[in-house]
Amino acid sequence: SALSDYTELGAGFKIAMRDLEIRGAGNLLGDEQSGHVAALGFELYLSMLDDAVRAAGPPSAGDQDYEPVRFDIDVDAYIPTDYVPYEQAKIDVHRRIAASREVADLALLSEELADRFGPLPVELENLIRLQQARVKLGQAGAGVVTIRGERMAITPLDFSDDQQSALAKQLPQAKYEPGRSQLSLSLPAEGGERLMMIASVANVVLAVSRQTG
């Protein structure tokens, strides 16, 4: 089951993170686990990364109050083995993705990876793009992103009347419910278009959340 897969994979992931020198990561973070990521969903996958980052060392002052956005979406996102062939480097990349609190950090990481290993594969681009959306939505105040079929819901989002008007202009297809602090809209069925839509929505939500007056 997905739950048992998560328990087994999560336990192995934490062991690998805590004791890389002895155990190594092997295929745990590579192509052979992509099926687990697709089955478990992006939120559980990133939760595992967040747990591993916290277990790897003492938290910084900013991390003590940080609550990552739960992102419930099935996605084919991982680091292909033939792109980053070194275990330690692959672990470091996963750590940096999970630990990123600013979009600029992810942009810098993408540049470093492209310079060192070549153009990013689609799977890794997906992983970084979704983490960027996760960061932006978190900065906008959201806590949970849920996707069921072709419908996405983001909560909680508390917008003023002026912000709601701005949101309606930029995302006319979206529905905002003040009483539930929820924004919902339909997503394309195709994977690539869906990712682009999620990224676009995150950009709009963050921009609107920062509007005043």
Side-chain angles (χ1 to χ4, degrees):
S1 66
L3 180 58
S4 61
D5 283 344
Y6 170 67
T7 302
E8 178 181 357
L9 184 57
F13 184 86
K14 292 178 182 178
I15 290 173
M17 290 296 289
R18 292 172 180 171
D19 201 4
L20 290 174
E21 293 294 330
I22 297 176
R23 300 179 184 272
N27 290 321
L28 188 60
L29 302 177
D31 299 12
E32 293 186 15
Q33 289 300 343
S34 63
H36 288 289
V37 176
L40 298 174
F42 187 64
E43 187 269 317
L44 289 181
Y45 176 67
L46 282 175
S47 293
M48 290 162 58
L49 293 183
D50 287 327
D51 289 345
V53 169
R54 286 192 292 269
S60 64
D63 287 340
Q64 293 178 0
D65 298 325
Y66 179 80
E67 288 293 335
V69 175
R70 291 174 52 202
F71 215 130
D72 184 10
I73 176 175
D74 294 339
V75 64
D76 193 18
Y78 59 98
I79 303 176
T81 300
D82 58 358
Y83 183 71
V84 180
Y86 313 110
E87 287 186 8
Q88 183 61 60
K90 187 177 295 183
I91 291 291
D92 288 341
V93 173
H94 277 87
R95 278 178 174 166
R96 289 183 62 182
I97 292 174
S100 294
R101 303 292 179 256
E102 298 291 338
V103 173
D105 296 334
L106 292 162
L108 179 60
L109 175 59
S110 296
E111 292 177 3
E112 292 179 5
L113 290 172
D115 182 64
R116 182 176 180 184
F117 299 108
L120 274 63
V122 172
E123 298 86 358
L124 180 52
E125 287 184 339
N126 289 347
L127 184 60
I128 291 176
R129 185 178 293 115
L130 284 167
Q131 178 68 355
Q132 288 174 334
R134 189 184 187 219
V135 168
K136 291 176 182 178
L137 292 172
Q139 291 174 344
V144 179
V145 177
T146 304
I147 297 178
R148 294 289 182 267
E150 296 182 5
R151 196 74 179 171
M152 176 171 71
I154 306 171
T155 54
L157 291 173
D158 295 314
F159 291 140
S160 66
D161 291 341
D162 289 341
Q163 289 173 326
Q164 292 178 46
S165 297
L167 186 68
K169 291 179 181 179
Q170 298 185 59
L171 289 176
Q173 75 277 31
K175 177 183 179 180
Y176 179 70
E177 301 174 78
R180 302 176 63 186
S181 299
Q182 176 175 291
L183 177 70
S184 59
L185 72 162
S186 296
L187 292 175
E190 197 277 323
E193 294 180 2
R194 175 171 289 207
L195 287 175
M196 294 302 295
M197 174 66 80
I198 292 172
S200 177
V201 169
N203 288 338
V204 171
V205 168
L206 178 58
V208 168
S209 73
R210 291 177 171 175
Q211 292 184 14
T212 58

